[in-house]
């Protein structure tokens, strides 16, 4: 029963991860955040493989899924540090999440709850010609905290998935080790039908 509950819970966690990362992928696409887009895509593939391994009893797939979750947690910790500007990171000047090929920011920067966007004219000399210079005000929740919340949720789901993945792999391994494919029926005292190799002759008496 515990093994079944572990599998079912892991399947549920994988499903929640898929829903959450797909939602995150949509907003990263809208913000042209190329590094998160790539990381999300890899995560979607690995979660699908982990889900397949859980359903089909494939421990190798589940182990690969568990290893990836460690890397996924590391990536999301970096994203949190980036938006909170830990160390030398700066969300205002660094273009790490866009591979330094564009100046796009998080989609939530302009579209967060309550945010009011105002165009600034004339634009500063350093502003690219194909970009508009704006100010954002009135946000109920700053965009960096929304991004941090997304990453924090991913970390929580990844930790839960890692724990249950290890548990399911342990259960599958123990089940395979405990089943004896050669002598599996000996413990039950099973004996096949026995054949007599010699025919026993008995004398016959005939009455006159």
């Amino acid at each position: 029963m515990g093994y079944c509950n572990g599998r079912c819970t892991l399947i549920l966690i994988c499903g929640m991860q898929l829903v959450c990362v797909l939602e995150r992928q949509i907003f990263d696409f809208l913000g042209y955040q190329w590094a998160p887009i790539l990381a999300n895509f890899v995560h979607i593939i690995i979660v699908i493989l982990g889900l397949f391994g859980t359903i089909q009893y494939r421990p190798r797939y589940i182990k690969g899924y568990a290893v990836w979750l460690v890397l996924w947690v590391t990536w999301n910790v970096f994203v949190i540090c980036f938006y909170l500007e830990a160390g030398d990171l700066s969300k205002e000047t660094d273009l790490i999440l866009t591979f330094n090929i564009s100046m796009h920011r998080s989609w939530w920067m302009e579209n967060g709850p309550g945010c009011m966007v105002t165009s600034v004219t004339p634009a500063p000399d350093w502003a690219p010609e194909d970009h508009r210079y704006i100010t954002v005000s009135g946000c109920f929740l700053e965009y960096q905290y929304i991004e941090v919340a997304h990453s924090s949720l991913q970390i929580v789901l990844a930790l839960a998935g890692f724990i249950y993945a290890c548990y399911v792999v342990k259960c599958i391994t123990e089940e395979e080790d405990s089943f004896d494919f050669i002598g599996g029926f000996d413990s039950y005292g099973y004996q096949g039908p026995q054949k007599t190799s010699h025919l026993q002759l008995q004398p016959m008496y005939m009455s006159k």
Side-chain angles (χ1 to χ4, degrees), residues 70-110:
V70 176
L71 301 177
W72 182 243
V73 169
T74 304
W75 164 254
N76 282 278
V77 169
F78 166 76
V79 172
I80 291 175
C81 293
F82 175 81
Y83 281 107
L84 295 181
E85 297 183 324
D88 296 331
L89 296 173
S90 174
K91 65 180 183 298
E92 301 297 337
T93 58
D94 292 339
L95 300 176
I96 299 174
L97 299 186
T98 58
F99 291 136
N100 291 324
I101 60 177
S102 68
M103 295 187 64
H104 291 90
R105 304 295 181 184
S106 170
W107 182 84
W108 296 104
M109 183 177 182
E110 301 179 25

Side-chain angles (χ1 to χ4, degrees), residues 175-195:
E175 182 178 323
E176 291 178 348
D177 292 341
S178 63
F179 188 82
D180 186 3
F181 290 94
I182 298 177
F185 295 104
D186 292 342
S187 60
Y188 296 97
Y190 174 80
Q191 295 181 357
Q194 298 180 356
K195 297 182 179 180

Side-chain angles (χ1 to χ4, degrees), residues 147-163:
E147 295 289 356
V148 168
H150 275 92
S151 295
S152 300
L153 177 60
Q154 292 295 329
I155 290 175
V156 171
L157 292 176
L159 292 176
F162 180 83
I163 293 173

